Amino acid sequence: FRNYIISKKQAIVKLDAVYPEFKKLFERQVGEDQNMEKIDAFYGDIVESLRFYQLLKFGENTSTDNRYDGITSTVFKMRYIQTDLYIPFALSVLRYADDNLTKQQLDEVFGLIETYFSRRIVCNINTTSVDRFLASLHKDALGYLEDAPESNYVDVLKFLFLSRTGQTRMPSDAEYENAIRTNPTYTQRNAFINYILTSSDGSSKESNTLNQIANGDLRLSIEHVMPQTLTKEWEHELGADELGIEHTHLVHDQYIHTLANLTLTGYNSEYSNRSFDEKKTLVVKGEK
């Protein structure tokens, strides 16, 4: 009900204010006369929103309409990384989509949601104030469309995402690329790392891999390609002979926990601190 009230009010509602806000909503839409038609419309909207909430929160798609097929991957990923902040906005979008968005546009909206959160995860930006930004995002988009009805809802959303600054910003390409090179990704939650590493595959199997990890069907752990403890072989590979041991350890400290030095493997113990050439060619249980 809190998510529902936020989506209707288009503003953050504290938990202890949910019931008072619900009463206000009832009074506005039904009124004292409690006309049966208004009551049916009021609670019909709640039931429809509940169906959408089941999809967003629990991954339960009770609809036979294939228009939601394209958003299930994003929904699953948001559930995996335990991100609920987008749900009130998504409820508004799903209600709006029935009469106003094509299937492709709906897919694009959810793609924008995933891009927003994934870029912020890579850049390690915390979620402060994101709930407030997303709570009113749909209302802000509709406001732009009122002023420019020829505009496209998806294009307006792109503008609103890209025009954010400060704590709720969408990281730029430059910030994103710099974060990939320099941010200590390994210090983040395992769910975030698994999500980033499976998504970076860039193939159609990414969601399936993450799904298998989430279900426990695929047991993978996070492996440092360059090991956390340097061996003589790794010091040599990092240029200790030519540039000196101090330089080698500076390079190690700079890149050890970055995204480019991480991978997922089922054979973490076998790889251990082996050299890079050994890790590339090591055969474990019939696999390279």
Side-chain angles (χ1 to χ4, degrees):
F1 264 100
R2 181 168 183 253
N3 281 279
Y4 174 74
I5 294 297
I6 292 173
S7 75
K8 300 299 286 188
K9 189 177 173 64
Q10 293 289 294
I12 288 299
V13 175
K14 293 182 178 180
L15 193 59
D16 59 2
V18 170
Y19 182 60
E21 289 294 339
F22 176 79
K23 287 174 65 179
K24 291 178 185 176
L25 187 64
F26 182 88
E27 289 164 3
R28 281 198 305 270
Q29 296 191 15
V30 178
E32 292 184 4
D33 62 340
Q34 298 197 12
N35 175 280
M36 212 50 213
E37 187 175 329
K38 291 182 179 178
I39 290 176
D40 285 345
F42 179 77
Y43 285 107
D45 183 59
I46 292 175
V47 170
E48 181 186 43
S49 296
L50 176 59
R51 177 167 59 85
F52 294 142
Y53 183 78
Q54 284 180 281
L55 170 62
L56 298 168
K57 181 68 176 178
F58 305 109
E60 299 173 3
N61 185 7
T62 59
S63 173
T64 57
D65 191 337
N66 67 1
R67 66 188 284 116
Y68 307 120
D69 292 349
I71 70 173
T72 54
S73 175
T74 294
V75 169
F76 163 72
K77 291 172 187 175
M78 294 299 100
R79 289 176 55 236
Y80 180 78
I81 62 176
Q82 299 179 341
T83 297
D84 289 347
L85 298 178
Y86 82 104
I87 288 182
F89 169 65
L91 288 175
S92 298
V93 169
L94 289 170
R95 286 197 302 265
Y96 177 75
D98 278 347
D99 299 319
N100 299 283
L101 299 179
T102 65
K103 183 179 183 301
Q104 181 180 345
Q105 287 175 317
L106 183 62
D107 293 349
E108 288 186 71
V109 171
F110 275 76
L112 282 171
I113 292 170
E114 183 177 349
T115 297
Y116 179 69
F117 280 100
S118 65
R119 283 194 170 224
R120 290 172 59 85
I121 288 171
V122 169
C123 295
N124 200 15
I125 305 172
N126 67 45
T127 57
T128 303
S129 301
V130 168
D131 55 346
R132 296 185 181 278
F133 162 51
L134 293 179
S136 62
L137 181 57
H138 180 66
K139 179 183 70 175
D140 295 340
L142 294 184
Y144 272 87
L145 289 174
E146 281 185 15
D147 295 334
E150 73 283 358
S151 299
N152 179 290
Y153 182 83
V154 177
D155 290 339
V156 170
L157 278 184
K158 289 177 182 177
F159 168 76
L160 291 172
F161 273 118
L162 292 172
S163 62
R164 297 298 297 184
T165 58
Q167 192 61 35
T168 59
R169 69 190 181 279
M170 167 89 83
S172 66
D173 287 351
E175 183 179 5
Y176 186 61
E177 291 168 7
N178 183 63
I180 291 172
R181 289 194 299 270
T182 63
N183 273 15
T185 302
Y186 186 67
T187 60
Q188 299 200 66
R189 289 164 39 196
N190 277 10
F192 285 177
I193 302 172
N194 288 341
Y195 166 65
I196 294 168
L197 289 175
T198 53
S199 296
S200 65
D201 184 358
S203 70
S204 60
K205 65 182 181 181
E206 59 176 66
S207 294
N208 185 48
T209 302
L210 193 61
N211 202 308
Q212 288 179 297
I213 294 172
N215 293 335
D217 299 329
L218 189 60
R219 298 192 179 278
L220 299 179
S221 57
I222 301 160
E223 163 80 0
H224 285 78
V225 179
M226 174 176 61
Q228 297 190 68
T229 302
L230 285 178
T231 62
K232 292 296 182 183
E233 291 84 356
W234 271 99
E235 287 177 351
H236 172 73
E237 290 193 28
L238 293 175
D241 299 339
E242 299 83 13
L243 301 172
I245 194 68
E246 185 176 335
H247 170 80
T248 297
H249 285 277
L250 284 174
V251 171
H252 180 262
D253 291 344
Q254 182 176 355
Y255 293 109
I256 181 61
H257 294 318
T258 57
L259 181 59
N261 192 48
L262 303 178
T263 189
L264 292 173
T265 178
Y267 310 109
N268 198 304
S269 59
E270 286 88 345
Y271 287 131
S272 187
N273 293 342
R274 292 174 183 267
S275 70
F276 187 47
D277 284 339
E278 285 182 294
K279 288 188 176 186
K280 286 192 295 182
T281 58
L282 181 68
V283 177
V284 182
K285 297 179 183 179
E287 297 187 18
K288 276 194 177 182

